[in-house]
Amino acid sequence: MTKTAWVFPGQGSQSLGMGMDLLDLPSAKEKFARSENILGWSVIEICQTNEEKLSRTLYTQPCLYVVESILADILQEKYSPDLVAGHSLGEYVALYVAGVFDWSDGLRLVKHRAALMDNAAGGMMVALINFDREKLEKAIDENPDAVLANDNSPTQVVISGTPEAVHAVISQVNAKRALPLKVSGAFHSPLMAEVAAEFQHMLDSVEFQQAKMPVLSNVEPVPSTDADILKQRLRQQMTGGVRWREIALALPDHEIERVVEIGPGNVLTGLIKRTSSGLILENVRSVAELPAN
């Protein structure tokens, strides 16, 4: 039988209208209603009509968690994955699917994380496309206030840090494209240490269970089902880098042949395609893309 990994995208993959084809399903209606009680606002309303709010961290992250988890629940009625992973916010959906915490606890964590990150300031993030990796590593070594926040693929990374340090790295690397990200702070960098410390209190209040299947974490792309290890890795995620390129490279090493990206867009399957060859790549972005049986 084909070994399958499910992967879940993070912030940046959201799109207006996402999840709205789920509204006719009773199980989805129940989750949307429960999310409104936890969040104090309507995921449906924002995903349907409010593009400006949907692009703001405070709303983006909970909306993605709700929509991706509902799609995963429906898919899990048909079969379960052999391994899961998620990109940044997507790791919370992966942990939920693996049974590490219940759905409501996961949404409360995401709500708190989103609020803290939305209030972060004093840094920036820039995506670099087509660059010399050796020059990049040297530039980051020479600019300690900039870090490799997202190592997405051999040709795409995100730099995070103080504006001065990030601009210094860009000037030394000569990337084909440098795209500033519309985020409030320097996510996945040491500049988030204060925010991460505040978030830890919330994280410590949630009980983690042993995972039902291995999880590849952002900060340590080695599969684990251990509750304590997975919680410790999540603690490190806010200040640590997303090692997605290494996650993609690890998939064939663990006999994964098929990867299903669950959620809006196709960012992760695109990154995996550029990193690991020979994998079957599929997307489940909507009800229409769910398997019939």
Side-chain angles (χ1 to χ4, degrees):
M1 195 170 171
T2 305
K3 287 190 77 172
T4 300
W6 288 2
V7 298
F8 301 92
Q11 199 164 343
S13 62
Q14 71 274 4
S15 61
L16 199 63
M18 69 179 189
M20 293 305 95
D21 59 341
L22 297 166
L23 293 176
D24 293 333
L25 306 176
S27 60
K29 279 182 184 173
E30 187 271 331
K31 284 282 202 313
F32 281 123
R34 213 190 320 168
S35 72
E36 190 163 352
N37 288 333
I38 292 169
L39 297 169
W41 47 267
S42 169
V43 169
I44 295 171
E45 188 181 311
I46 286 174
C47 288
Q48 269 184 332
T49 62
N50 201 322
E51 193 163 11
E52 188 179 338
K53 276 191 174 179
L54 185 58
S55 65
R56 184 179 163 192
T57 300
L58 182 67
Y59 300 100
T60 310
Q61 295 187 8
C63 286
L64 285 170
Y65 176 88
V66 170
V67 171
E68 291 178 17
S69 61
I70 292 171
L71 284 169
D73 282 343
I74 299 166
L75 198 54
Q76 243 182 334
E77 291 171 7
K78 303 173 191 300
Y79 74 98
S80 290
D82 299 286
L83 182 147
V84 291
H87 191 288
S88 193
L89 176 277
E91 188 169 322
Y92 287 79
V93 190
L95 291 167
Y96 160 68
V97 167
V100 173
F101 45 65
D102 76 23
W103 187 83
S104 295
D105 280 342
L107 183 55
R108 288 188 190 97
L109 284 174
V110 169
K111 176 188 177 183
H112 195 54
R113 178 187 194 261
L116 289 169
M117 291 175 77
D118 189 64
N119 285 325
M124 71 180 301
M125 301 180 78
V126 175
L128 302 181
I129 299 167
N130 292 336
F131 54 88
D132 184 312
R133 191 168 282 267
E134 204 172 302
K135 282 184 181 176
L136 175 65
E137 289 169 0
K138 185 172 182 289
I140 288 174
D141 285 343
E142 291 172 1
N143 294 280
D145 289 332
V147 297
L148 183 57
N150 299 352
D151 186 5
N152 285 331
S153 77
T155 58
Q156 202 239 77
V157 298
V158 175
I159 308 303
S160 183
T162 64
E164 298 79 14
V166 170
H167 286 304
V169 169
I170 294 168
S171 68
Q172 291 170 249
V173 172
N174 300 321
K176 186 175 180 181
R177 293 177 75 191
L179 307 170
L181 303 187
K182 292 179 183 177
V183 293
S184 51
F187 301 165
H188 298 292
S189 84
L191 292 181
M192 298 295 288
E194 195 175 316
V195 170
E198 196 173 336
F199 181 65
Q200 188 167 319
H201 299 299
M202 182 72 176
L203 196 55
D204 288 344
S205 73
V206 175
E207 186 179 351
F208 277 38
Q209 308 293 332
Q210 297 296 107
K212 295 182 291 187
M213 72 280 297
V215 181
L216 281 171
S217 300
N218 286 193
V219 300
E220 188 61 52
V222 176
S224 180
T225 57
D226 184 273
D228 292 336
I229 289 172
L230 293 171
K231 181 178 269 195
Q232 180 56 35
R233 290 176 177 176
L234 203 57
R235 274 197 196 100
Q236 297 170 280
Q237 197 216 63
M238 209 175 271
T239 55
V242 177
R243 296 162 62 182
W244 193 258
R245 179 178 61 89
E246 292 172 74
I247 286 174
L249 289 169
L251 295 172
D253 293 343
H254 299 290
E255 300 176 350
I256 296 297
E257 300 167 79
R258 179 168 161 254
V259 181
V260 182
E261 180 177 0
I262 300 171
N266 57 359
V267 171
L268 298 185
T269 43
L271 294 173
I272 291 167
K273 186 177 183 178
R274 290 193 285 275
T275 308
S276 279
S277 60
L279 293 166
I280 301 163
L281 302 173
E282 298 174 9
N283 291 87
V284 173
R285 292 162 285 211
S286 63
V287 171
E289 291 182 321
L290 287 162
N293 47 49

